Amino acid sequence: MGELTAEMVEIDNAGELIDEIMDKYGQEILQLAFSYVKNKQVAEDLTQEIFVKCYKSLHTFSGKSQFRTWLWRIASNHCKDYLKSWYNKNVFATDYQPIYDSIQCDSVEERVIQDEVDGELATAVMELPVDYREVIYLFYFEELTIKEISSITEIKENTVKTRLKRAKELLKERLEAI
């Protein structure tokens, strides 16, 4: 399936369409949600809720932006709403489980070292304030452009650049302290 267009969204069988959307973007949305909430189960729940919102809002997709950008904006806003919610502020989860794989290494020693480095980096990224964590995740892990990040987060491109710069400075400080 290529990029969705407004005409494709008007297809009568929305059930098949949402299945395709979930297959294509499910893992990305799950990782995005995880980058906000730092909890695998909560991220999975939010991902389901995001796709329900997407399904209910398919008729509003006009094709003015790429479908992926439209979906990521829904996901980003839903995650931010969750972070502001009473539930998030008053109910505490106890586990931290990264949901991404580390880089493949040739030897056991390299694997152990790489896992430790990945863990330190992931921990440092997840400890950043959400505004910085959001742009770092979208830029480095999802490899989005500044313009795409600006569109998804609904902030100016210069603000994205500033947040990226500040996030890198904070990460550098934290990683040098380790």
Side-chain angles (χ1 to χ4, degrees):
M1 177 176 90
E3 182 63 31
L4 286 173
T5 62
E7 293 78 33
M8 292 174 74
V9 170
E10 294 174 9
I11 294 174
D12 290 335
N13 195 343
E16 284 182 26
L17 183 60
I18 198 69
D19 284 344
E20 287 185 45
I21 293 168
M22 289 172 66
D23 287 342
K24 184 170 183 175
Y25 300 107
Q27 187 63 33
E28 291 179 10
I29 298 299
L30 176 61
Q31 290 175 327
L32 176 68
F34 183 81
S35 75
Y36 279 98
V37 298
K38 303 186 230 177
N39 180 287
K40 185 177 178 183
Q41 285 74 32
V42 173
E44 289 170 348
D45 291 345
L46 288 174
T47 300
Q48 288 181 355
E49 294 167 9
I50 289 163
F51 282 113
V52 168
K53 267 189 178 180
C54 173
Y55 178 76
K56 289 179 178 179
S57 302
L58 275 173
H59 67 282
T60 67
F61 177 67
S62 63
K64 291 179 182 174
S65 65
Q66 291 186 359
F67 182 81
R68 183 176 190 242
T69 302
W70 179 80
L71 178 61
W72 278 60
R73 183 174 295 143
I74 290 172
S76 177
N77 288 337
H78 188 73
C79 291
K80 288 176 184 178
D81 289 345
Y82 171 80
L83 291 175
K84 294 176 195 172
S85 72
W86 176 91
Y87 184 84
N88 179 54
K89 292 178 181 175
N90 293 291
V91 177
F92 298 99
T94 58
D95 67 329
Y96 171 81
Q97 298 175 355
I99 59 173
Y100 42 85
D101 296 327
S102 61
I103 299 168
Q104 297 296 325
C105 298
D106 295 332
S107 71
V108 173
E109 294 85 13
E110 288 177 346
R111 178 66 181 214
V112 169
I113 292 168
Q114 188 63 49
D115 285 349
E116 185 176 329
V117 169
D118 289 349
E120 290 171 359
L121 178 59
T123 299
V125 169
M126 292 313 230
E127 289 175 350
L128 291 173
V130 73
D131 289 342
Y132 299 133
R133 187 170 64 232
E134 173 182 56
V135 294
I136 286 286
Y137 176 79
L138 294 174
F139 189 76
Y140 289 104
F141 293 93
E142 292 301 327
E143 299 177 350
L144 297 177
T145 65
I146 300 291
K147 185 175 183 174
E148 290 171 323
I149 296 169
S150 174
S151 177
I152 289 167
T153 59
E154 298 177 320
I155 57 177
K156 294 179 182 178
E157 289 182 33
N158 285 336
T159 304
V160 172
K161 291 176 188 176
T162 302
R163 287 182 183 177
L164 269 173
K165 182 176 186 264
R166 182 65 183 132
K168 286 190 269 186
E169 291 169 358
L170 288 171
L171 281 174
K172 183 178 177 185
E173 291 171 12
R174 291 176 185 191
L175 292 173
E176 286 175 350
I178 295 177

